[in-house]
């Protein structure tokens, strides 16, 4: 009787031990599983349920419109915000300014790729033949816009400088001129990769913001209701006093446009080697001011 | 009697902001619908409220969002050595820090809560304060948000004997929310030009009424099942002093979970698998977002390790319980992406709770 009770006790302790072992192993396995997820901060690749094409490597990139999300898709909503009747090529729509939502998505995506170590391979992905030829057709168009907008912006700065009696020296103006030149250089004439395409897109976004500011300053009306062509803009007659009045009344809007444009360029550009970004601009500005001081 | 006096004393102490969400929930991937702890009744499943005795809970939680980005950005170093840096270096340091806050996320949040329950009836008051951040680089903007929530629970318990029971809890709640508009470089410019802070900063406020219904079925061998109908509520609006409106809607969701747990000697164990918002699952990504898992391993009554998985993101936590004081720490992830998965933020959080 004593023996059987002893065996029962041993059996009970054995069962308890097995239960503890199961709990211990389950906990250990779960903790290992969880810690393996922490590196990448998500488990999409572990359980393979995320089949969105945006998360998969691409052999070649095709520009599409009206897709839910594609790195290179351009918002179809961008209509008439600033329309330049430039006799654009047939596929001009593919180079519209990104909407705020598109920009935010692009920045999140670039950061996601950078964080997971896939940015470089994505940037070096080749554009598909069709996209490449369409993009090539529009680079000359974009370079032309940059040239004209650059010249126009410089003429405004010269006017402002005259009013303030030499606010900007010719050397200062040369910096602006160089900026537009470098902007033009980023628009590679024969784009092959996603990186080339992004450079064109960002340059266009930057230039669209400059145009938007010119709108605010010169026309003094909300840009979305303005639709003009380049020739009429160039022949617009305004006095320097008018110009200053409009600038002072539009300071908040101008700051807002500048900040948004610079932010967008910086958030993408700072992730991509060789792109212009605010850090470089800040270094140049301070370097310039130190040289001027000495 | 001593407990009652202690409670009265604590209530008097907490005339200040009250408390809120238990950090143990986050550590377990919020898989706590079946966990036998009244601390989760007001936040997760009203059926968990204490039905036989008395419970009191007062947690205060601080969360730091984007913790690893902030640590990597060398924020402290930049602040301490800012006077030694030249202008260019300082400007670029600030820029590097600002770049971490792309998109819209929380920066830091504080939660406070006070709840007590007795024999199936409970009251809770909670509040939160958040500093939100949005933008990135030069456009980074801050906004403030505060809220106060009052809830009550009425619960019914049906005991079938042999470790089987069914509990049903009803929780009506009212939440007052106030949030500011974002304060950015543009707002600062506007303020400087107009010399009027009110024109740059708007405050929106409003009240949201909601009802949650929770059930918990316990069966022998430590198994339990939960079903919660959450946010049975219409959409609501926050209105500013100038009449601007922001609309919100909390989607009604049905949450389900199966749990298993038990105590053996000084070891206790709880495991739960759950699906959140089963009525809103449309595809595989929704399914991933809906799935959560949590487990806790208690070693003596003083020490507990928790881990979880929620919507694809892992979490871990540690609890130390010394008599009536609980210290919880957790590290977890929350996704703020426009497309789910693109913008996960890690959160480092600590909580001190008085729990009876």
């Amino acid at each position: 009787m004593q023996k059987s009770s002893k065996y029962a006790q041993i059996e009970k302790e054995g069962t308890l031990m097995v239960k503890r072992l199961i709990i211990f192993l389950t906990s250990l396995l779960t903790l290992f599983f969880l810690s393996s997820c922490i590196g990448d901060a998500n488990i999409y690749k572990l359980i393979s349920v995320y089949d969105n094409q945006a998360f998969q490597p691409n052999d070649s990139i095709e520009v599409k419109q009206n897709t839910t999300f594609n790195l290179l898709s351009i918002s179809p909503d961008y209509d008439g915000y600033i329309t330049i009747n430039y006799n654009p090529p047939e596929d001009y729509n593919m180079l519209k300014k990104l909407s705020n939502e598109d920009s935010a998505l692009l920045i999140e995506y670039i950061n996601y790729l950078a964080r997971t170590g896939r940015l470089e391979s994505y940037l070096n992905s080749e554009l598909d033949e069709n996209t490449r030829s369409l993009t090539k057709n529009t680079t000359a168009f974009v370079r032309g816009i940059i040239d004209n907008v650059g010249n126009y912006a410089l003429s405004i700065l010269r006017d402002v400088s005259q009013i303030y009696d030499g606010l900007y020296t010719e050397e200062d103006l040369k910096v602006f001129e160089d900026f537009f030149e470098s902007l033009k250089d980023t628009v590679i004439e024969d784009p092959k990769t996603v990186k080339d395409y992004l450079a064109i897109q960002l340059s266009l976004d930057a230039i669209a913001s400059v145009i938007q500011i010119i709108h605010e300053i010169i026309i003094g009306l909300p840009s979305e209701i303005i639709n003009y062509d380049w020739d009429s803009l160039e022949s617009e007659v305004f006095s320097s006093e008018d110009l200053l009045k409009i600038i002072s009344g539009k300071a908040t809007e101008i700051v807002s446009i500048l900040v948004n444009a610079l932010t967008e360029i910086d958030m993408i550009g700072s992730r991509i080697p060789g792109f212009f970004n605010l850090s470089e601009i800040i270094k140049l500005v301070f370097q310039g001011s130190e040289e001027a001081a000495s | 009697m001593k407990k009652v006096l202690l409670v009265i004393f604590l209530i008097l102490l907490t005339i200040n902001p009250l408390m809120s969400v238990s950090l143990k929930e986050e550590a377990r991937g919020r898989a706590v619908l079946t966990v036998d702890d009244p601390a989760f009744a007001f936040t997760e499943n009203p059926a968990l409220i204490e039905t036989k005795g008395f419970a009191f809970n007062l947690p205060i939680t601080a969360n730091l969002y984007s913790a690893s980005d902030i640590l990597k950005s060398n924020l402290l170093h930049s602040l301490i050595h800012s006077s030694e840096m030249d202008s260019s270096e300082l400007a670029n340091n600030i820029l590097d820090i600002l770049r971490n806050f792309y998109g819209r996320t929380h920066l830091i949040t504080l939660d406070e809560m006070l709840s007590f329950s007795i024999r199936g009836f409970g009251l809770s008051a909670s509040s939160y304060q958040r500093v939100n951040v949005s933008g990135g680089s030069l456009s980074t903007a801050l906004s403030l948000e505060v809220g106060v929530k009052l809830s009550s629970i009425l619960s019914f318990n049906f005991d079938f004997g042999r470790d089987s029971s069914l509990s049903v809890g009803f929780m009506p709640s009212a939440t007052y929310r106030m949030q500011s508009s974002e304060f950015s470089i543009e707002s600062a410019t506007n303020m400087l030009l107009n010399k009027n802070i009110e024109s740059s900063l708007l405050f929106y406020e409003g009240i949201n009424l909601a009802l949650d219904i929770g059930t918990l079925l316990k069966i022998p061998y430590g198994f339990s099942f939960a079903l919660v109908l959450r946010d049975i509520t219409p959409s609501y609006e926050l209105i500013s002093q100038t009449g601007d409106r922001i609309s919100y809607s909390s989607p009604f969701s049905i949450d389900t979970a199966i749990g298993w747990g038990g105590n053996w000697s000084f070891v206790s164990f709880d495991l739960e698998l759950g699906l959140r918002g089963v009525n809103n699952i449309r595809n595989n990504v929704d399914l991933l977002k809906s799935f959560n898992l949590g487990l806790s391993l208690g070693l003596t009554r003083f020490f507990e390790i928790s881990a979880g998985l929620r919507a694809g993101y892992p979490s871990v936590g540690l609890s130390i319980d010394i008599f009536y004081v609980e210290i919880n720490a957790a590290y977890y992830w929350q996704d703020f992406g426009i497309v789910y998965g693109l913008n996960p933020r890690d959160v480092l959080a600590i909580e001190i709770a008085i729990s009876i």
Side-chain angles (χ1 to χ4, degrees):
Chain A
M1 186 67 192
Q2 263 186 348
K3 243 183 184 177
S4 66
S5 142
K6 197 177 172 186
Y7 284 129
Q9 180 69 18
I10 291 169
E11 195 182 341
K12 194 179 169 190
E13 282 177 5
T15 312
L16 197 62
M17 194 62 81
V18 170
K19 277 183 179 173
R20 283 179 188 165
L21 199 64
I22 290 170
I23 291 167
F24 178 73
L25 288 175
T26 312
S27 310
L28 207 61
L29 281 175
T30 312
L31 287 172
F32 273 130
F33 174 68
L34 293 175
S35 61
S36 70
C37 304
I38 286 177
D40 197 4
N42 70 64
I43 57 161
Y44 299 138
K45 63 179 183 184
L46 282 179
I47 54 178
S48 303
V49 296
Y50 215 120
D51 56 0
N52 186 329
Q53 69 170 54
F55 289 86
Q56 293 186 346
N58 294 274
D59 293 321
S60 68
I61 305 296
E62 184 185 356
V63 174
K64 289 177 183 171
Q65 288 191 48
N66 303 318
T67 50
T68 348
F69 177 67
N70 181 316
L71 177 60
L72 302 173
S73 71
I74 309 299
S75 169
D77 306 328
Y78 185 70
D79 228 7
Y81 192 54
I82 294 172
T83 308
I84 306 170
N85 296 320
Y86 225 80
N87 298 321
E90 204 174 307
D91 296 293
Y92 144 86
N93 277 349
M94 64 182 288
L95 281 172
K96 282 178 173 177
K97 188 181 187 304
L98 292 173
S99 70
N100 285 341
E101 179 84 355
D102 285 335
S103 298
L105 205 49
L106 184 57
I107 289 166
E108 281 194 359
Y109 190 56
I110 295 273
N111 276 294
Y112 175 83
L113 291 172
R115 202 174 52 248
T116 52
R118 283 179 281 170
L119 181 59
E120 198 179 342
S121 65
Y122 195 78
L123 290 172
N124 291 328
S125 302
E126 287 192 5
L127 298 169
D128 78 308
E129 267 312 309
N130 186 39
T131 303
R132 197 173 148 185
S133 103
L134 291 178
T135 311
K136 195 174 174 180
N137 288 343
T138 56
T139 50
F141 162 65
V142 176
R143 288 167 73 94
I145 296 177
I146 293 172
D147 259 344
N148 282 318
V149 170
N151 291 337
Y152 201 71
L154 280 170
S155 75
I156 291 173
L157 290 171
R158 284 203 174 89
D159 269 359
V160 173
S161 188
Q162 270 179 11
I163 296 165
Y164 282 104
D165 197 19
L167 178 68
Y168 298 114
T169 63
E170 274 307 310
E171 284 77 26
D172 293 333
L173 293 174
K174 181 76 173 39
V175 173
F176 287 102
E177 208 176 330
D178 289 347
F179 168 73
F180 284 106
E181 275 302 313
S182 64
L183 200 60
K184 205 168 75 174
D185 289 343
T186 59
V187 183
I188 296 160
E189 285 184 51
D190 184 15
K192 293 189 178 81
T193 64
V194 171
K195 189 176 171 181
D196 299 340
Y197 187 94
L198 266 182
I200 298 170
Q201 180 62 62
L202 281 189
S203 303
L204 187 82
D205 273 15
I207 218 70
S209 299
V210 176
I211 296 171
Q212 206 177 342
I213 289 173
I214 293 172
H215 256 283
E216 293 285 352
I217 294 173
I218 296 178
I219 312 298
L221 288 171
S223 51
E224 61 269 24
I225 61 168
I226 298 298
N227 194 340
Y228 64 92
D229 62 42
W230 193 256
D231 293 337
S232 66
L233 180 64
E234 280 190 312
S235 63
E236 195 84 35
V237 179
F238 59 91
S239 71
S240 300
E241 286 75 19
D242 287 343
L243 181 65
L244 272 184
K245 200 173 161 188
I246 293 166
I247 289 174
S248 61
K250 292 276 179 183
T252 309
E253 288 85 344
I254 292 169
V255 168
S256 173
I257 294 164
L258 269 177
V259 166
N260 286 336
L262 287 173
T263 296
E264 191 178 303
I265 291 168
D266 183 57
M267 291 296 286
I268 298 168
S270 61
R271 289 283 188 201
I272 301 173
F275 268 38
F276 48 83
N277 61 62
L278 278 181
S279 298
E280 295 305 315
I281 294 171
I282 287 170
K283 275 182 202 157
L284 281 175
V285 169
F286 281 101
Q287 196 181 325
S289 63
E290 276 164 20
E291 277 169 13
S294 63
Chain B
M1 186 60 190
K2 276 183 184 172
K3 273 188 179 178
V4 174
L5 286 174
L6 182 63
V7 170
I8 292 170
F9 175 69
L10 288 170
I11 289 172
L12 289 175
L13 275 182
T14 54
I15 292 167
N16 286 331
L18 316 173
M19 80 77 226
S20 97
V21 180
S22 171
L23 202 53
K24 277 184 180 172
E25 284 177 45
E26 297 292 2
R28 284 184 52 120
R30 293 201 187 165
V32 294
L33 297 186
T34 60
V35 177
D36 205 0
D37 187 341
F40 305 133
F42 288 96
T43 51
E44 295 299 336
N45 184 359
L48 297 176
I49 201 165
E50 182 62 60
T51 51
K52 288 175 182 145
F54 169 85
F56 174 85
N57 193 27
L58 171 66
I60 296 175
T61 312
N63 299 282
L64 175 67
Y65 287 77
S66 310
S68 57
D69 282 345
I70 289 177
L71 294 174
K72 274 187 230 156
S73 72
N74 232 349
L75 177 64
L76 281 178
H77 180 267
S78 297
L79 287 173
I80 293 166
H81 297 280
S82 58
S83 59
E84 298 160 18
M85 293 177 186
D86 63 37
S87 313
S88 160
E89 199 183 349
L90 181 63
N92 277 327
N93 258 298
I94 294 170
L95 199 59
D96 282 343
I97 292 165
L98 294 180
R99 280 186 191 125
N100 292 315
F101 302 109
Y102 60 92
R104 189 181 169 83
T105 72
H106 302 316
L107 177 61
I108 189 162
T109 65
L110 284 174
D111 295 284
E112 309 87 29
M113 185 172 185
L114 173 66
S115 68
F116 75 90
S117 53
I118 185 164
R119 291 182 181 276
F121 175 73
L123 288 174
S124 152
S126 62
S127 65
Y128 64 83
Q129 304 81 42
R130 291 178 189 153
V131 178
N132 300 320
V133 62
S134 68
S137 184
L138 270 195
S139 69
T140 301
L142 294 176
S143 65
L144 305 173
E145 193 179 336
V146 296
V148 178
K149 182 178 182 182
L150 299 172
S151 319
S152 66
I153 293 179
L154 185 60
S155 169
F156 301 95
N157 186 51
F158 307 96
D159 207 332
F160 306 125
R162 293 197 58 193
D163 298 332
S164 302
S165 66
L166 174 69
S167 301
V168 184
F170 298 86
M171 183 177 77
S173 62
T175 308
Y176 167 80
R177 268 181 82 175
M178 185 179 79
Q179 71 180 57
S180 75
S181 57
E182 292 179 343
F183 194 79
S184 58
I185 289 184
E186 293 96 274
S187 315
T189 314
N190 197 17
M191 198 180 76
L192 283 173
L193 291 172
N194 298 318
K195 302 201 184 307
N196 181 5
I197 194 165
E198 282 177 19
S199 66
S200 311
L201 206 56
L202 292 175
F203 289 94
Y204 298 80
E205 57 183 354
I207 291 180
N208 173 34
L209 301 175
L211 174 67
D212 291 1
I213 301 174
T215 59
L216 178 68
L217 175 67
K218 287 183 184 175
I219 60 171
Y221 303 109
F223 287 97
S224 48
F225 302 88
L227 178 75
V228 180
L229 310 180
R230 200 180 300 285
D231 285 323
I232 307 170
T233 175
S235 58
Y236 63 103
E237 284 185 328
L238 302 186
I239 304 171
S240 77
Q241 62 268 42
T242 56
D244 294 336
R245 288 161 188 268
I246 302 176
S247 294
Y248 288 95
S249 60
S250 319
F252 164 65
S253 77
I254 301 172
D255 302 344
T256 57
I258 176 170
W260 175 73
N263 296 296
W264 297 274
S265 176
F266 62 92
V267 179
S268 64
F269 183 79
D270 260 307
L271 176 68
E272 178 178 309
L273 297 174
L275 281 178
R276 294 290 186 120
V278 287
N279 54 322
N280 297 319
I281 296 174
R282 302 280 181 274
N283 52 43
N284 282 344
V285 177
D286 288 343
L287 183 64
L288 173 69
K289 284 160 71 179
S290 163
F291 175 76
N292 65 350
L293 172 157
L295 71 94
S296 298
L297 184 65
L299 302 167
T300 74
R301 58 179 291 260
F302 302 112
F303 193 70
E304 189 177 77
I305 303 169
S306 303
L309 194 65
R310 180 165 74 99
Y313 293 105
S315 56
V316 288
L318 184 67
S319 293
I320 298 170
D321 187 347
I322 305 165
F323 301 107
Y324 296 127
V325 178
E326 239 180 70
I327 298 170
N328 301 314
Y331 181 71
Y332 61 97
W333 292 81
Q334 197 170 332
D335 198 303
F336 292 91
I338 298 172
V339 170
Y340 191 80
L342 286 186
N343 191 7
R345 296 284 169 174
D346 56 342
V347 190
L348 197 57
I350 189 154
E351 176 183 272
I352 297 176
I354 294 166
S355 193
I356 297 171

